[in-house]
Amino acid sequence: MDIDGDAEEASRRIRVRFVTKLKPPYKAPPTSIAIPTNLTRFGLSALVNNLLKAGNADWKTEAFDFFIDGELVRMSLEEFLLAKGISAEKILEIEYIKAVAPRKKEDPSLHDDWVSAVDGSNPRFILTGCYDGFGRIWKTAGVCTHLLEGHTGAITSVCILDPLGSDGRRVVATASKDMTLRLFEVNTEEFQGQLKKIQSFKTLRGHNASVQCIAAEPSGAKICSGSWDCRINVWQANDSDSGGDFMSVKKRKVDIEDEEPKSEGEPISTLVGHTQCVSSVVWPEHETLYSASWDHSIRRWDVETGKDSMNMYCGKVINCLDVGGESSSLIAAGGSDPILRIWDPRKPGTLAPTFQFSSHTSWISGCKWHDNSWYHLVSASYDGKVMLWDLRTAWPLAVIDSHEDKVLCADWWKSNCVISGGADSKLCISSEISVM
Amino acid sequence: MAESDSSEDEVAAHNTVGNVPFEWYKDEEHIGYDIAGKKIKKKVREDKLDSFLASADNSENWRKIYDEYNDEIVELTKEETRMIRRVLKGMAPHPEFDPYPTAVDWVTIDKAEHPFPDAPEPKRRFVPSKWESKMIVRLVRGIRKGLIKVDDKPKEENRVYLLWGDDRNLTERHHIPPPKPKLPGHEESYNPSLEYIPTAEEVKKYELMYEEDRPKFIPKRFTSMRSVPAYDKAVRESFDRCLDLYLCPRTQKKRINIDPESLKPKLPSRKDLKPYPTTCYLEYKGHKGPVVSISTDSTGQWIASGSNDGTVRVWEVESGRCFRVWELGEAVQHVAWNPSPELPVLAVSVGQDVFLLNTGLGNDEENRRVDDLLHVESHMAHNEPGASEAIISETIVKWSRDDNHGAIRLNHYKTVSSVEWHRKGDYFSTLMPYGESKAVLVHQLSKGLTQRIPFKLHGLPVSTAFHPTRSIFFISTKKNVRIYDLLKQRLIKKLETGVREVSSIAIHPGGDNVIVGSKDGKLCWFDMDLSSQPYRVLNCHPKDITRVAFHRSYPLFASSSDDCTAYVFHGMVYSDLNQNPLIVPLEILRGHASVNGRGVLDCKFHPRQPWLFTAGADSVIKLYCH
C-alpha cells in the first residue's frame, strides 16, 4: 500500500535527506523525507527551518543554501535534476550551508572624496585610500582613528604590511598619483577618541608616472608597486637597522608638521616587461608576484631573478587581479568589460578562463578572494554593485548595491564582512556574512 | 607490196586444241578434234635419221620448218627468208621501206606576209554586245527591285529531319512536369471508417469557411458500390480545365533567382576584426555645455575636453574623474594635447586666443621644465626682431604670459578654430579660417616664434594636419585637400574630394592615406599613392560628419556625426603596394542625445587601446570599449 502510494506520486515527489557540516544547533534529523520537486532554494530553506524548529522550539529562522553533488541549487529542484541528469529515484542527499549573504549593512563611513582603495586584511581596522590624498584608518564603521597625511595626489592603492602580526603597531603603505609611495606606522591600540594625524616615516620615489597599485610581501619585508610608467618596482619596506630611531624621528616630526620626513627609499629592483600601465600587483608567496596590465597581459614574476615565468594574454585591459582559491593558485581578474574571469594556471596548454562570471554591467574595478574559503570571492564594478560569488554556481550569491556611484574597490574584512569604497565617497561595510 | 605483216588471219588454223601445252597430248595419237567431231590424227614424225637424209638429199630442205602449233611443215619462200635476214640485221622487213625519207616543208616557219585567211576582223570583236547590255540592264533592274538577291553565301538546303521522331529538341520547350496528385487515402473510400467521417458540426464549419480554405473532399459513407452516385463536380471540373487551358499564359516566364547575399561584396567577418569599440562603459560628466573637442595624452591616462561653457577639463580615463578644470571664460573651440610625453602641455583655442596650459601631470622635473618653458616665452616674444619675412608681426599674433592659468596666451587677430601639434611637440599650427593669407600659422613653442605658411591658400581653410612621419603639411579647404612639402616649400598633391563641404581630415599613421569627413555625411578615403580622387566614398551618415579619426596602432578609423552616432570602421593598409586598403564597417555607436540639432561633436581613439571617446552636444563624453 505504502509503496503504491509512493509510486503514484513519483513524478512530483522525491526522497531527500538533508546533511550538513554545520554544528549541532543547525543539524537537521538525518531521516529521509519526500518533498515536492518543484521546490526552489527558498522552499528548501523554509523546509529545513521547519525541521529545525521541530527539534528546537526557540529556533530563529535562518537562510540556507543547498548543494547537490557539489553544485549550488539556483533553480527548482526538478529543473536542477533534469539539467544535471540526476536520477530522482534514489534518496537524494542535499547538503546545506548557511546562505552567504550580508545580513547587516553598517552605516556608511563618509570620506571627503572618492574612496579609491581599501584594505581589510587586518581584522582590527580598515585602511582606506582616498582621492583627497589622505589615507584613513577606521576602527569600525564610522569611527576613523587615524589620518595618514603626506601625499600631494590622490591615493590609488593601499596595503597593510604583515597584517596578522601580534602587536598593535602596524606599518601601512600607500601609493599615489603623485608618483610616490609612503609608509606610515600606526598603533591601533592607542586610540583616545579623537582623530590622530600621522606623517609618513618613509617616502619611496622612483616611479616616473602615477603609481597605480601596491602589494606587500607576506612577511612584510618588501613591497612592490606598479605604475603608469609600465614598470614594477620592488622596495625594501623597513630598514633593518633602524627600529626605534624612526620612532623618535617621527615623534619629533609630529610637532613640526610642515617638514617632509627625511627618510627616502629607492627601489631595490625593477621588473620590466609590461608595455602599458601596470594596473594591479599581487604578492602571494615569498618569491613570486603576479601583475596585471593594460597591455592585456597577466604575468608571474620571479622576484629574485626579475624574470617573468608566465605570461598570459586575455585580450582585455585588466584593472584588478587576485590570486587565491584552491591551494591559492587560481587567478581572478576583471577589467574593461563586465566579465570576471578566473584562470587556473596549473592547467597546461590552455589560456581559456575556467570560470567566467558576467552579471556585472560595467567595468570591474576590484576582485578579491576570501581568505579561508576556496570558493568565495567578491567583485566590485563601475555599475555600482558589489557581488559575492561562489565558484560552484554561475549566479552571484549576493548583490550589494549600497553605493550610488561607481564602486572603486572592495575587500573582505574579518572574513565575514565585505568592505567597499566608491565614487560616492562612502566606505560601505556589509557584515555578518557566514562564509563557512 | 601492200601485204600485211600479220599472216595469221589469212592462214586457216589447223590447231583445234587451243592454247594448251602439247605435253598433254604427248601420249595421245590424236591432237584435237575437227569440226565433225572426229579425232585429228597426229602426223607421224620422221625421225632424226630421216630428216638428216632428207637434208642431205634435198638442198632446199633447210627451208622447211616444223610448225609445232599446227603440226605441219612449212616451207619458207625466198621473200620470207630475205625478210628474216633483214629483221636479223635490225633493218625494216620490207626492202621498199625507206627509213630516211626527205622532209617536205609543208608549213613554213617564216611569217607570211599576208595571213592565211585574209578576212578583215569583224566589227563585233570590238563593239559591246547589244544583247549582253540588255541582259545586264535586266539583271540590274531585278537587283534594284529586289527580285534578284545577290547572296554570296551558298543557299542552305532544307534540313532533313525525322518527321515523326521525338520533336523535343526542335522546339526547345521545357517540359514542366505537372504536380503529382495525392494518392487517394482511406477517407476517399466509398465506405471509409467512421473516424474519417466529419461530424455535422464540422460540416457546418466547413460551409462557413471561404471556398479556398474549404476542404475539397468531404468523406461520405455508402453501403455499397452501387449506391455511389455519379461525380457531381465532373462538369464543373472539366469546364474549369478548359478555362485553364485557354486562359493560361503560353509564354514561359523566366525568373532569375539571384541570392541577394551574393551581390554583396565579400568582406571579412566582423568577428575576425576584433578588437574594436562596441559598448559604452564609462561616461565623463561635468561639462555644462556641448563638449566641442577632446584630446588624449600620449600615454592614454588622461583626456582633455573643451566645452562651449568656457571650461577645459582634464579627466582620468580609467575612473572618469574630473582631474582639473580651467575656466577660460569663452567658448572653447579646440583642445590638443602635446604628443610628446615629456611635455604635458595642452593647447586650447578660445575665441581669438590660443592658450598653452601646463597640466602639471608630469613628474616634478617635467613640470619644472614646462613651467620654465611657459615663463620665458613672454619676454622672448617681445624682443624678437622681424628677422625673416616669414615671421609674423605682433599685430597678427601676440605672445604673452597669462598668470591666471600659468599659461602662454597667443592673441590672434581673428578667431582661431583649431590647433594642431607637430609630432615632436615643439611646433604647432593654428588655423584662422578668416585670416586670409595668414590663415594658417605655425608657431614654435621653444623659441616663441610664429611663422606664416608660405603657400597661397585657395579658398577658406577648414582643417589642417601635420604628416605623422615626414615634414609634410595638409591643408583642407572646403572642396580640396592640398598637401605641401614644408622643406622644399612646394605643393605635392591636391586631393579632389568632390563633396559639398569638408569638415575634418585625418591622416593614417602610415602617412599615405587620408580620410576626409564632409558636411553632407560622406566620408572619403584617399590613397595618395593611387590617385587624387577618393579611393572609396562611404555615404553613411544622414547628417554632417563632425570629425574623423584614425587609431594610432590598431587598423581602425571612426567618424562622428550630428546624427548622434559614431561609426567605427576597419581600415587596413597593407605594406604591399599592389594591395588596396581594406575598409570594413564595423559598428555604429549610439548613446548620445541630440541637443539643438547637434549630436556627436568629436571623436578620438585611445592612443593604445581599441577604445573610442566621443564628445556629445549633450555635454557628456563617452568611452566605448572593446
Side-chain angles (χ1 to χ4, degrees):
Chain A
M1 289 295 280
D2 203 25
I3 293 164
D4 286 352
D6 270 359
E8 201 177 279
E9 284 185 318
S11 59
R12 290 191 216 132
R13 285 185 169 262
I14 182 169
R15 290 206 144 258
V16 298
R17 186 192 295 135
F18 289 102
V19 293
T20 184
K21 287 173 187 156
L22 295 169
K23 295 279 169 327
Y26 294 103
K27 265 213 157 72
T31 51
S32 70
I33 49 169
I35 57 165
T37 54
N38 59 359
L39 277 186
T40 57
R41 177 183 154 209
F42 297 102
L44 288 170
S45 192
L47 193 79
V48 171
N49 273 308
N50 280 340
L51 284 177
L52 291 170
K53 205 165 205 169
N56 185 353
D58 49 348
W59 172 256
K60 272 169 77 183
T61 309
E62 182 88 38
F64 290 104
D65 228 335
F66 298 88
F67 288 108
I68 298 173
D69 284 358
E71 192 135 355
L72 280 171
V73 180
R74 278 291 177 274
M75 40 189 126
S76 83
L77 215 48
E78 193 171 10
E79 287 171 43
F80 185 87
L81 295 183
L82 273 177
K84 301 290 165 199
I86 300 169
S87 160
E89 292 178 3
K90 294 186 288 186
I91 294 176
L92 194 66
E93 281 208 351
I94 301 181
E95 192 187 341
Y96 61 92
I97 56 166
K98 286 204 260 178
V100 177
R103 284 161 181 76
K104 200 173 152 194
K105 270 183 200 166
E106 311 275 341
D107 290 335
S109 315
L110 292 176
H111 289 68
D112 294 339
D113 211 332
W114 295 10
V115 182
S116 59
V118 64
D119 190 335
S121 49
N122 189 313
R124 290 202 200 96
F125 62 90
I126 303 168
L127 173 64
T128 62
C130 181
Y131 264 81
D132 59 3
F134 296 115
R136 287 177 178 81
I137 289 186
W138 303 80
K139 201 172 178 191
T140 53
V143 182
C144 182
T145 58
H146 295 80
L147 188 70
L148 312 177
E149 294 179 332
H151 280 298
T152 53
I155 288 181
T156 53
S157 184
V158 293
C159 77
I160 306 171
L161 277 68
D162 188 18
L164 301 173
S166 51
D167 57 338
R169 266 177 219 289
R170 290 273 67 87
V171 176
V172 300
T174 55
S176 161
K177 287 197 195 296
D178 64 6
M179 306 176 193
T180 61
L181 290 88
R182 278 170 199 263
L183 297 179
F184 301 87
E185 186 160 323
V186 290
N187 191 346
T188 49
E189 282 158 4
E190 55 169 19
F191 177 56
Q192 282 105 28
Q194 75 207 35
L195 187 68
K196 192 176 177 199
K197 291 180 179 174
I198 298 179
Q199 295 288 317
S200 68
F201 70 88
K202 194 169 181 182
T203 309
L204 306 177
R205 293 180 200 274
H207 278 297
N208 238 337
S210 343
V211 188
Q212 197 67 12
C213 51
I214 187 170
E217 198 214 351
S219 72
K222 294 178 197 166
I223 52 175
C224 66
S225 60
S227 156
W228 267 95
D229 60 8
C230 318
R231 286 186 289 190
I232 303 167
N233 281 357
V234 181
W235 318 78
Q236 196 73 41
N238 34 5
D239 303 310
S240 48
D241 56 345
S242 57
D245 263 9
F246 262 109
M247 283 311 294
S248 62
V249 169
K250 210 196 75 194
K251 271 173 192 161
R252 193 154 42 80
K253 289 285 164 54
V254 173
D255 310 324
I256 316 156
E257 290 268 336
D258 303 338
E259 202 173 317
E260 280 278 302
K262 289 281 185 295
S263 175
E264 294 206 351
E266 294 280 319
I268 53 172
S269 68
T270 301
L271 311 179
V272 183
H274 283 296
T275 57
Q276 288 191 45
C277 155
V278 181
S279 55
S280 187
V281 284
V282 197
W283 199 334
E285 287 162 50
H286 178 65
E287 276 308 305
T288 52
L289 67 88
Y290 292 80
S291 68
S293 163
W294 278 39
D295 63 5
H296 307 175
S297 70
I298 296 173
R299 292 175 197 232
R300 183 173 60 203
W301 302 87
D302 191 325
V303 181
E304 280 294 304
T305 60
K307 295 265 161 49
D308 53 338
S309 53
M310 183 189 70
N311 192 347
M312 206 161 67
Y313 278 92
C314 84
K316 303 273 175 175
V317 163
I318 302 165
N319 282 329
C320 56
L321 176 77
D322 198 15
V323 178
E326 191 183 341
S327 60
S328 294
S329 59
L330 300 187
I331 300 175
S336 67
D337 61 344
I339 300 169
L340 177 68
R341 295 182 174 83
I342 292 163
W343 288 270
D344 191 345
R346 298 167 299 180
K347 262 191 198 169
T350 172
L351 284 178
T354 42
F355 299 98
Q356 296 201 32
F357 298 122
S358 47
S359 292
H360 282 296
T361 56
S362 186
W363 283 21
I364 292 175
S365 50
C367 61
K368 208 81 179 175
W369 287 94
H370 193 268
D371 288 336
N372 304 323
S373 163
W374 281 4
Y375 303 111
H376 294 91
L377 67 160
V378 63
S379 71
S381 165
Y382 282 178
D383 59 6
K385 288 181 179 125
V386 177
M387 292 191 185
L388 295 178
W389 300 94
D390 191 314
L391 291 192
R392 296 165 288 192
T393 181
W395 283 268
L397 293 177
V399 179
I400 305 166
D401 47 2
S402 42
H403 286 282
E404 288 130 34
D405 203 344
K406 296 188 264 275
V407 187
L408 301 176
C409 52
D411 198 3
W412 296 91
W413 187 44
K414 296 199 280 197
S415 74
N416 68 350
C417 299
V418 165
I419 49 181
S420 60
D424 53 358
S425 312
K426 281 185 205 161
L427 170 71
C428 289
I429 304 174
S430 307
S431 57
E432 293 183 26
I433 301 167
S434 50
V435 179
M436 292 287 128
Chain B
M1 249 346 281
E3 203 179 351
S4 161
D5 287 343
S6 63
S7 56
E8 207 167 25
D9 295 339
E10 289 103 48
V11 178
H14 305 294
N15 186 1
T16 59
V17 295
N19 197 15
V20 295
F22 287 101
E23 284 99 77
W24 294 0
Y25 291 95
K26 205 164 64 182
D27 301 331
E28 304 294 327
E29 286 182 346
H30 71 283
I31 183 161
Y33 299 87
D34 62 4
I35 199 159
K38 293 203 174 132
K39 290 179 179 173
I40 299 169
K41 292 278 178 199
K42 277 187 186 170
K43 286 187 184 131
V44 180
R45 296 281 303 272
E46 51 189 11
D47 54 358
K48 301 252 176 172
L49 190 62
D50 287 343
S51 63
F52 176 72
L53 288 175
S55 66
D57 291 345
N58 194 355
S59 62
E60 294 297 304
N61 200 32
W62 61 272
R63 288 189 190 272
K64 289 179 185 167
I65 293 170
Y66 175 66
D67 179 4
E68 200 179 23
Y69 184 75
N70 291 320
D71 195 24
E72 62 180 1
I73 290 172
V74 181
E75 196 170 323
L76 298 174
T77 58
K78 274 191 177 173
E79 286 84 42
E80 280 168 341
T81 51
R82 214 174 290 148
M83 200 184 292
I84 289 169
R85 264 187 211 118
R86 287 177 71 87
V87 168
L88 285 174
K89 278 180 188 168
M91 298 156 68
H94 293 286
E96 290 84 12
F97 177 72
D98 180 11
Y100 310 108
T102 48
V104 178
D105 206 2
W106 298 106
V107 180
T108 59
I109 51 167
D110 310 320
K111 187 149 182 176
E113 196 174 334
H114 297 287
F116 196 59
D118 207 10
E121 190 89 341
K123 187 184 175 186
R124 64 177 179 275
R125 294 269 165 85
F126 46 87
V127 166
S129 161
K130 177 186 171 187
W131 303 106
E132 269 183 16
S133 67
K134 281 195 169 177
M135 187 69 188
I136 285 167
V137 165
R138 226 179 67 219
L139 286 172
V140 168
R141 278 193 188 138
I143 289 167
R144 280 183 185 157
K145 283 180 183 169
L147 300 173
I148 301 166
K149 290 214 167 121
V150 185
D151 200 357
D152 294 340
K153 278 181 244 167
K155 239 184 183 177
E156 266 186 29
E157 288 176 25
N158 285 339
R159 273 177 66 192
V160 178
Y161 58 93
L162 201 56
L163 185 57
W164 303 113
D166 188 7
D167 56 357
R168 269 182 304 187
N169 296 335
L170 295 171
T171 54
E172 287 181 4
R173 195 177 296 149
H174 297 289
H175 175 64
I176 304 170
K180 276 190 179 165
K182 203 186 119 228
L183 290 174
H186 290 298
E187 70 275 15
E188 271 145 328
S189 159
Y190 77 95
N191 190 11
S193 332
L194 271 178
E195 65 258 29
Y196 293 110
I197 308 297
T199 58
E201 291 159 23
E202 278 175 329
V203 172
K204 213 172 275 171
K205 214 166 73 187
Y206 290 155
E207 280 165 8
L208 289 176
M209 286 166 122
Y210 285 111
E211 193 165 348
E212 282 151 12
D213 302 335
R214 203 178 295 161
K216 296 280 176 296
F217 175 76
I218 297 167
K220 269 185 199 164
R221 282 183 82 126
F222 300 101
T223 49
S224 66
M225 271 290 231
R226 272 181 292 123
S227 49
V228 178
Y231 185 47
D232 53 344
K233 291 180 195 153
V235 175
R236 179 82 213 167
E237 277 186 3
S238 54
F239 174 69
D240 284 346
R241 175 69 186 146
C242 289
L243 279 186
D244 281 352
L245 283 177
Y246 91 85
L247 289 178
C248 84
R250 295 300 157 98
T251 52
Q252 198 172 351
K253 201 187 241 179
K254 275 199 179 163
R255 192 174 289 157
I256 308 169
N257 282 323
I258 299 176
D259 184 15
E261 290 295 313
S262 68
L263 296 175
K264 283 191 192 167
K266 292 270 176 296
L267 287 177
S269 155
R270 288 200 304 169
K271 277 182 198 157
D272 305 337
L273 302 176
K274 280 181 180 176
Y276 55 86
T278 52
T279 330
C280 174
Y281 288 124
L282 270 176
E283 290 184 349
Y284 304 85
K285 287 180 184 166
H287 277 297
K288 293 183 179 63
V291 186
V292 176
S293 176
I294 48 176
S295 177
T296 59
D297 83 318
S298 61
T299 58
Q301 192 183 1
W302 308 103
I303 178 167
S305 65
S307 163
N308 273 354
D309 62 5
T311 58
V312 172
R313 284 170 189 257
V314 170
W315 311 81
E316 191 184 19
V317 167
E318 67 167 321
S319 62
R321 184 184 166 88
C322 178
F323 191 76
R324 217 170 151 173
V325 186
W326 287 276
E327 296 272 353
L328 297 177
E330 215 175 324
V332 177
Q333 293 286 328
H334 198 255
V335 292
W337 207 295
N338 193 318
S340 159
E342 288 94 44
L343 227 59
V345 171
L346 196 61
V348 182
S349 74
V350 180
Q352 298 194 352
D353 298 332
V354 171
F355 286 94
L356 298 176
L357 302 169
N358 181 9
T359 54
L361 295 174
N363 56 22
D364 296 344
E365 191 192 339
E366 284 167 10
N367 283 345
R368 223 172 296 125
R369 245 182 42 217
V370 172
D371 265 341
D372 289 349
L373 200 61
L374 298 185
H375 253 293
V376 176
E377 283 315 317
S378 50
H379 311 295
M380 273 177 62
H382 284 288
N383 302 337
E384 196 66 45
S388 159
E389 57 159 315
I391 290 176
I392 293 293
S393 70
E394 255 181 51
T395 53
I396 308 294
V397 177
K398 199 171 88 185
W399 291 65
S400 61
R401 169 81 191 163
D402 186 277
D403 286 323
N404 292 343
H405 308 294
I408 292 180
R409 172 180 181 150
L410 279 78
N411 197 311
H412 291 62
Y413 79 115
K414 287 272 161 58
T415 308
V416 181
S417 70
S418 80
V419 184
E420 298 284 343
W421 283 95
H422 184 251
R423 66 180 185 279
K424 285 181 182 153
D426 192 18
Y427 289 94
F428 61 99
S429 72
T430 55
L431 176 70
M432 291 176 282
Y434 299 103
E436 287 156 6
S437 67
K438 296 173 188 77
V440 181
L441 300 176
V442 175
H443 313 268
Q444 190 178 7
L445 174 62
S446 58
K447 289 186 182 160
L449 287 183
T450 298
Q451 291 174 50
R452 191 169 62 81
I453 284 280
F455 310 113
K456 191 175 180 295
L457 298 171
H458 306 263
L460 214 58
V462 173
S463 183
T464 60
F466 283 99
H467 191 281
T469 50
R470 287 183 286 161
S471 58
I472 289 175
F473 195 63
F474 297 77
I475 300 177
S476 163
T477 57
K478 281 190 177 178
K479 296 279 181 199
N480 301 318
V481 180
R482 278 161 211 274
I483 303 161
Y484 300 98
D485 192 328
L486 290 176
L487 288 183
K488 293 177 186 160
Q489 304 219 338
R490 62 183 177 84
L491 178 75
I492 299 175
K493 211 174 174 93
K494 185 178 143 192
L495 305 178
E496 283 151 18
T497 58
V499 296
R500 208 183 69 217
E501 196 180 336
V502 172
S503 62
S504 72
I505 62 170
I507 321 293
H508 187 267
D512 281 340
N513 294 274
V514 180
I515 49 175
V516 171
S518 82
K519 291 212 168 168
D520 44 0
K522 279 182 191 159
L523 185 103
C524 308
W525 175 294
F526 288 94
D527 191 335
M528 292 198 291
D529 295 334
L530 215 61
S531 114
S532 62
Q533 301 289 326
Y535 160 65
R536 194 136 295 173
V537 178
L538 305 165
N539 202 347
C540 43
H541 287 288
K543 284 188 178 177
D544 304 5
I545 290 182
T546 51
R547 192 72 58 143
V548 287
F550 268 112
H551 198 284
R552 217 169 67 178
S553 48
Y554 287 90
L556 294 172
F557 66 98
S559 66
S560 64
S561 161
D562 274 340
D563 58 4
C564 302
T565 63
Y567 280 61
V568 180
F569 303 88
H570 176 86
M572 188 63 165
V573 174
Y574 299 95
S575 52
D576 179 11
L577 288 176
N578 288 327
Q579 210 163 356
N580 283 334
L582 173 72
I583 299 172
V584 186
L586 290 176
E587 190 78 32
I588 304 173
L589 304 175
R590 299 169 205 277
H592 282 287
S594 175
V595 173
N596 295 332
R598 313 254 15 220
V600 186
L601 300 182
D602 197 359
C603 65
K604 281 270 157 44
F605 278 104
H606 190 278
R608 295 189 174 173
Q609 304 290 345
W611 298 347
L612 185 74
F613 296 97
T614 56
D618 51 357
S619 63
V620 179
I621 304 165
K622 282 176 188 270
L623 170 61
Y624 292 87
C625 301
H626 66 290

